[in-house]
Amino acid sequence: MEKITWEIPLKTVSEANSSEHWTVSSRRHRQQQFFIRALFHALDKEVSTPCTVTMTRLSSRSLDSDNNVSCMKWIRDEISECIFPEKRKYFVTKDGKMRDIKGRADSDSRITWKYEQEKSKTLGIRIEIESL
């Protein structure tokens, strides 16, 4: 049984209760996905499935359980895309550019998702991937 643990200083916000401009949230989502993708590219081995992914939100304030899940949505999408790159989908824009369609691989039954929270003075997330 192998375990991968990362602690990343990323800001997470309750997506359900957020009233920020869409460009602010879009920039945050792209940043979250960029860092997750970079971690997987730096990993020298593939993640074996089935596995359990535990995402822990580190913050000075806690969220209720459904908002904790919603703040990790973009991170979950990118983790699953990196574990199952064959499920990645694309579409072509009117300009002829390829764009990703996110959120297709996270429904795979080989990944069990867990969400937790911890009080911390620094903002961030801890990701633990444990192969079964």
Side-chain angles (χ1 to χ4, degrees), residues 25-42:
S25 61
S26 178
R27 186 178 310 120
R28 184 180 59 253
H29 299 156
R30 283 194 315 267
Q31 179 189 39
Q32 290 171 345
Q33 291 179 332
F34 172 80
F35 283 114
I36 299 300
R37 203 172 320 114
L39 288 171
F40 273 94
H41 284 302

Side-chain angles (χ1 to χ4, degrees), residues 54-114:
T54 304
M55 295 181 287
T56 306
R57 180 178 181 268
L58 308 172
S59 179
S60 58
R61 293 181 25 199
S62 59
L63 297 173
D64 57 354
S65 61
D66 59 334
N67 287 328
N68 188 35
V69 172
S70 75
C71 79
M72 300 285 192
K73 180 210 181 313
W74 297 92
I75 298 165
R76 174 180 167 150
D77 288 346
E78 194 60 38
I79 290 172
S80 62
E81 296 272 333
C82 290
I83 293 175
F84 302 116
E86 68 275 3
K87 291 192 173 192
R88 187 168 291 218
K89 301 290 183 195
Y90 301 96
F91 72 96
V92 179
T93 64
K94 293 178 184 177
D95 303 338
K97 296 179 182 177
M98 299 284 284
R99 299 281 185 224
D100 289 340
I101 301 175
K102 299 287 184 179
R104 301 292 175 120
D106 62 337
S107 63
D108 195 295
S109 62
R110 292 175 284 181
I111 301 178
T112 303
W113 301 96
K114 293 184 180 179

Side-chain angles (χ1 to χ4, degrees), residues 6-19:
W6 293 309
E7 200 160 307
I8 316 160
L10 282 177
K11 181 179 179 181
T12 54
V13 175
S14 168
E15 301 293 336
N17 296 335
S18 177
S19 60

